[in-house]
C-alpha cells in the first residue's frame, strides 16, 4: 500500500520547485536585466525576487550568485574519490567565490549608511574577485578528460554567468550613486 502511495507522489518530484511561470518577472527585473551579459539567465534567476528597488535587486542577484557558486562547489565536493587536483583546486576557488559574494551582499545591505559609496566600492571589489575565482576555476579544469571537463564546466560556467550578471547589477547600482570628490 505504501509503495502504491509513493508511486502516486512520484510525478510531484518532477515538478520544479520554482518555475518562471510561478514567478512572472517584475518590470524592475525586466528593465534591470535587459542589458546584462546573460539577460535570459538574469531574468530566470531574479524572477522569484520580490525586490522593489535596484538595491534590493542587487542584493538578490549577488545572493543568487553566491548560491550558484555554492551549488557548483557542492557538485565538485561529491566528485568520485580521489578527485583530480584541478577539481580540488576548482572546488576551493568556488568556495572562495561564494564567500566573496556573501561579503558583497553584506556590503550592499549597508548602502543606507552615510558612507554608502565606500560599501558599494567594496561590493564591487568582492563581486569582481568572485568572478576572477570562477574564471580561475574554469582555467584549472581545461586539461581534464573531455567527459569530466564537460560535467564540471557546465556547473562552473553556470555559476560564472550568474556572477557576471550580479556584477553587472552592482555596477549599474554604482552608476546611480554620486562619486566621491577627491
Amino acid at each position: 500500500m505504501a509503495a502504491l502511495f509513493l508511486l502516486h507522489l512520484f510525478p510531484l518530484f518532477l515538478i520544479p520547485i520554482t518555475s518562471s511561470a510561478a514567478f512572472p518577472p517584475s518590470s524592475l527585473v525586466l528593465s534591470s536585466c535587459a542589458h546584462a551579459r546573460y539577460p535570459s539567465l538574469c531574468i530566470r534567476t531574479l524572477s522569484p525576487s520580490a525586490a522593489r528597488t535596484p538595491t534590493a535587486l542587487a542584493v538578490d542577484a549577488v545572493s543568487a550568485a553566491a548560491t550558484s557558486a555554492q551549488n557548483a562547489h557542492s557538485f565538485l565536493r561529491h566528485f568520485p574519490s580521489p578527485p583530480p587536483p584541478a577539481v580540488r583546486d576548482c572546488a576551493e576557488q568556488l568556495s572562495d567565490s561564494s564567500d566573496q559574494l556573501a561579503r558583497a551582499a553584506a556590503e550592499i545591505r549597508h548602502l543606507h549608511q552615510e558612507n554608502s559609496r565606500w560599501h558599494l566600492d567594496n561590493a564591487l571589489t568582492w563581486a569582481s574577485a568572485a568572478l576572477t575565482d570562477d574564471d580561475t576555476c574554469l582555467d584549472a579544469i581545461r586539461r581534464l578528460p573531455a567527459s569530466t571537463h564537460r560535467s564540471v564546466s557546465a556547473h562552473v560556467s553556470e555559476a560564472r554567468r550568474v556572477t557576471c550578471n550580479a556584477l553587472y547589477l552592482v555596477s549599474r547600482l554604482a552608476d546611480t550613486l554620486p562619486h566621491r570628490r577627491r
Side-chain angles (χ1 to χ4, degrees):
M1 182 69 174
L4 184 60
F5 176 73
L6 289 176
L7 282 175
H8 289 292
L9 288 178
F10 180 72
L12 294 176
F13 294 111
L14 300 176
I15 300 171
I17 293 173
T18 59
S19 70
S20 57
F23 298 102
S26 68
S27 59
L28 176 63
V29 169
L30 291 173
S31 64
S32 297
C33 291
H35 299 290
R37 177 79 185 253
Y38 306 99
S40 297
L41 177 62
C42 183
I43 292 168
R44 183 170 31 106
T45 302
L46 295 175
S47 286
S49 174
R52 298 199 186 282
T53 66
T55 301
L57 191 63
V59 169
D60 287 352
V62 172
S63 296
T67 299
S68 186
Q70 190 58 45
N71 289 343
H73 173 259
S74 294
F75 171 78
L76 295 181
R77 297 286 297 161
H78 292 94
F79 216 77
S81 290
V87 171
R88 285 195 311 268
D89 292 346
C90 191
E92 178 80 18
Q93 294 293 324
L94 289 169
S95 179
D96 289 348
S97 177
S98 181
D99 290 346
Q100 291 162 341
L101 289 161
R103 289 179 180 138
E107 290 289 344
I108 297 168
R109 288 185 188 102
H110 289 99
L111 291 184
H112 63 279
Q113 297 176 356
E114 184 178 314
N115 55 356
S116 60
R117 184 80 222 174
W118 182 77
H119 287 293
L120 195 51
D121 288 346
N122 287 343
L124 284 166
T125 300
W126 288 120
S128 180
L131 187 60
T132 299
D133 280 338
D134 295 348
D135 288 338
T136 302
C137 179
L138 285 170
D139 286 344
I141 63 170
R142 289 200 197 286
R143 291 183 193 77
L144 291 175
S147 61
T148 303
H149 179 265
R150 274 192 301 276
S151 65
V152 172
S153 179
H155 287 82
V156 177
S157 293
E158 175 81 3
R160 184 195 179 284
R161 288 188 296 267
V162 175
T163 299
C164 188
N165 283 340
L167 180 58
Y168 165 75
L169 291 174
V170 176
S171 296
R172 190 169 182 233
L173 183 62
D175 290 342
T176 67
L177 289 181
H179 291 282
R180 286 186 287 223
R181 295 200 172 153
R182 295 177 188 220

